Amino acid sequence: MTPPLARAAAGAVDDDLLELYRTLHAHPELSGREAGTAQRLADALETAGCRVHRGIGGHGVAAVLEDGAGPTLLVRADMDALPVEEATDLPYASRATGTDPNGNEVPVMHACGHDLHMAALVGFARAMQALRGSWHGRLVLVGQPSEERVSGAAAMMADGLYARVGRPDWAIALHVLPEQPEGKVLFIEGTASAGAESIDLLVRGLGGHAAHPDQTVDPVLLAAGCVIGFQGIVSRSLDPQTFGVLTVAMIHGGVKHNAIPDEVRLGLNIRFFDDDVRARLLDGIERIAAGLAQAAGVPEDRMPVFTLLDESARPLVNDPALVRRVRAAVEAALGTERVGSLGPSSGSEDFGAFGTADPAVPLCYFRIGTGGGRLHSPTFAPDPKPVIEAGVTAFAAAALELLRKD
Ligand SMILES: [Zn+2]
Ligand SMILES: [Zn+2]
């Protein structure tokens, strides 16, 4: 690593930054409700010398750090936490609760590492201040709300993010990955994460007495047939070499043991890397549900109702040339043994929305190992310092390469 970069990264991750991390961890907030988190992040970025825009697309933050004329690099951290009850014995463990979209009071935890991402973003801002004079251009540091609902990036774009801070020449982001060694940086060329859709399927029949099923059209049996039938879509209608996932994650129906209900509600989720698979999965669900309903004798006006929820994610596709350029810079900074490659993930991520400009913004989304634990688990308790330091170093190495003075 070049001595100035190493010094700047190490200097940025001091006790003060780790205290910010612990505060963020102890006060997590649910998607769309990140008011306190956004304020802490925005204040820290302002203290680091950035010009801060607040309240973009909800609680979104965009902080600008400039050093002369030059290109613009966007760097994103996500801010939201999950309705998970923390079960670690960390002194800064979360005891926070929040109100979920159904109005229920639920425990809240940073179980996806977004607190690490935010700390790395602030450390990066400090490091780039310390490195002033060795880069030129603009950094746009984004605190994104609602990543867990894959909606916050699009909300910031719809609220004119690029009209406020300019269209970036590149956008980069990181996400922690427990399965990889602590502080190891992993790059993905091409598709990095899957697209996703959630579907509500209302299966309707004709309810009646459990002793007289002959006088009913049983939606419970029909829903069971749908759950089984849907599993044939991936296994029988997709090319065996093609990625696709279909999960029925919710099934609700009936209120009494001796009454056949009128309807059963199914909740489905699909994952895909391309639009053709997305269309095949959605068509298959509608076709099979309608066909099975018809076979069960459901009246024409009680056919299943298919609703695509407003929770879509596009597949996230990294720009291979940008990935190679950033990777080379990170390898030079950390050494090749601390850098690796990954294939696409079946998880989803809405960072891709920052690429949807005209012309498209090249993206590089990479991962950093935490050396153990599981994401979204109540026991996720990474050692923050080495992970944040790796994040700051990787961001700064990328920025010094992309915004370098020739
Ligand atoms: Zn998550
Ligand atoms: Zn996450």
Side-chain angles (χ1 to χ4, degrees):
M1 200 181 324
T2 61
L5 171 55
R7 259 201 313 278
V13 188
D14 58 8
D15 287 346
D16 183 58
L17 189 71
L18 294 170
E19 184 56 31
L20 172 69
Y21 166 76
R22 290 188 290 265
T23 304
L24 291 168
H25 185 89
H27 301 282
E29 292 170 298
L30 292 173
S31 307
R33 300 180 182 270
E34 310 89 345
T37 305
Q39 185 169 350
R40 284 191 180 94
L41 178 65
D43 289 351
L45 290 168
E46 212 159 63
T47 305
C50 301
R51 196 171 72 247
V52 179
H53 304 254
R54 302 171 190 239
I56 308 172
H59 296 297
V61 172
V64 178
L65 192 63
E66 262 172 309
D67 196 357
T72 299
L73 170 64
L74 182 150
V75 183
R76 184 216 62 174
D78 35 16
M79 303 190 293
D80 52 337
L82 289 157
V84 170
E85 184 164 14
E86 179 151 0
T88 72
D89 48 15
L90 295 169
Y92 51 92
S94 165
R95 307 271 171 263
T97 60
T99 308
D100 76 5
N102 301 320
N104 302 314
E105 177 101 343
V106 292
V108 188
M109 176 188 175
H110 268 300
C112 201
H114 299 184
D115 45 358
L116 293 162
H117 307 166
M118 288 184 277
L121 191 73
V122 173
F124 168 61
R126 295 172 165 196
M128 294 306 283
Q129 276 290 16
L131 291 162
R132 240 170 214 289
S134 50
W135 56 279
H136 72 136
R138 303 171 75 238
L139 291 165
V140 176
L141 311 183
V142 169
Q144 184 206 308
S146 260
E147 189 282 329
E148 294 291 353
R149 279 202 229 134
V150 291
S151 60
M156 289 187 79
M157 293 297 283
D159 198 15
L161 174 65
Y162 291 172
R164 299 177 198 227
V165 298
R167 174 193 168 279
D169 297 280
W170 314 274
I172 65 175
L174 66 79
H175 200 297
V176 293
L177 184 61
E179 298 80 19
Q180 291 284 334
E182 187 175 79
K184 184 163 182 180
V185 183
L186 291 309
F187 288 97
I188 311 132
E189 282 187 28
T191 303
S193 70
E197 297 283 2
S198 290
I199 301 109
D200 272 342
L201 187 69
L202 178 63
V203 174
R204 300 184 294 178
L206 293 170
H209 202 293
H212 290 290
D214 54 300
Q215 296 168 8
T216 73
V217 178
D218 182 357
V220 174
L221 180 61
L222 175 52
C226 286
V227 173
I228 305 289
F230 294 156
Q231 294 312 313
I233 302 172
V234 171
S235 70
R236 303 292 85 177
S237 72
L238 295 189
D239 178 327
Q241 307 294 330
T242 303
F243 167 84
V245 179
L246 187 159
T247 297
V248 181
M250 292 186 343
I251 178 162
H252 296 292
V255 289
K256 186 124 179 44
H257 297 75
N258 64 357
I260 292 169
D262 275 329
E263 57 188 43
V264 171
R265 291 173 182 276
L266 301 181
L268 285 77
N269 186 266
I270 60 168
R271 304 286 163 137
F272 47 88
F273 290 154
D274 62 67
D275 285 338
D276 177 55
V277 171
R278 175 183 177 277
R280 277 173 186 265
L281 295 175
L282 293 177
D283 289 352
I285 293 164
E286 275 198 277
R287 195 180 63 245
I288 286 170
L292 290 176
Q294 201 169 38
V298 171
E300 208 46 52
D301 63 346
R302 301 273 304 155
M303 285 312 219
V305 180
F306 174 102
T307 310
L308 196 59
L309 301 190
D310 194 14
E311 286 179 11
S312 336
R314 303 286 312 144
L316 166 56
V317 183
N318 278 333
D319 181 79
L322 176 61
V323 171
R324 285 193 286 270
R325 204 171 155 195
V326 170
R327 178 180 180 144
V330 174
E331 281 177 349
L334 289 174
T336 49
E337 67 289 348
R338 281 188 58 193
V339 176
S341 303
L342 281 181
S345 149
S346 60
S348 294
E349 158 67 64
D350 65 347
F351 172 63
F354 293 112
T356 56
D358 190 18
V361 177
L363 304 173
C364 175
Y365 170 86
F366 59 93
R367 311 295 299 262
I368 289 195
T370 63
R374 268 177 303 121
L375 290 180
H376 293 205
S377 148
T379 57
F380 183 56
D383 179 7
K385 193 168 187 217
V387 179
I388 295 169
E389 220 166 69
V392 170
T393 307
F395 277 156
L400 291 180
E401 161 62 21
L402 296 169
L403 305 182
R404 78 168 168 231
K405 283 181 163 168
D406 288 309

